[in-house]
Amino acid sequence: MTTNPYWTEDGKAKNLALLTSTERLEMLETLRTTEAQEWLRRYAIIKKMSGQPNAQHWWESVKADIERKRGKDGLNTLIAEMNRVKNEIRS
């Protein structure tokens, strides 16, 4: 994974208002992808440690929490990104 240059340039990382709309969109996309990768990693760890049924139960409770906090659209966005990342890894 590459480092986003917009996070490391002096001034820009400290003030998001200095970013262009394109830069903000790129940052948002990076954050979404990173979050999807993190949930996939966590699920794999729990599946390995506790087995598929426990991991599935854990994931259902996480999804319920996310839906409560972000709404159905937020949950659907995360799941779509997770599926995209999974498909990208497989290919």
Side-chain angles (χ1 to χ4, degrees):
M1 189 163 92
T2 60
T3 302
N4 189 328
Y6 304 112
W7 294 357
T8 56
E9 289 181 23
D10 288 338
K12 286 196 173 187
K14 296 176 184 156
N15 189 349
L16 296 177
L18 297 177
L19 297 176
T20 66
S21 61
T22 303
E23 291 169 336
R24 283 192 300 270
L25 287 174
E26 289 174 3
M27 181 182 271
L28 181 59
E29 181 62 29
T30 300
L31 291 172
R32 284 184 178 148
T33 301
T34 302
E35 181 189 22
Q37 291 169 342
E38 178 63 18
W39 284 119
L40 290 169
R41 185 188 68 79
R42 289 181 187 192
Y43 181 84
I45 290 170
I46 291 174
K47 181 179 172 183
K48 186 176 183 178
M49 289 175 30
S50 303
Q52 175 73 31
N54 289 340
Q56 191 64 35
H57 177 70
W58 169 81
W59 177 238
E60 291 301 323
S61 69
V62 168
K63 287 191 329 186
D65 289 344
I66 292 171
E67 184 175 359
R68 184 172 37 84
K69 292 176 183 175
R70 300 183 193 177
K72 188 71 170 171
D73 288 342
L75 175 61
N76 290 339
T77 300
L78 174 60
I79 291 172
E81 184 63 21
M82 290 172 70
N83 289 331
R84 189 191 66 75
V85 168
K86 263 196 300 192
N87 291 336
E88 191 176 281
I89 291 169
R90 288 181 186 162
S91 59

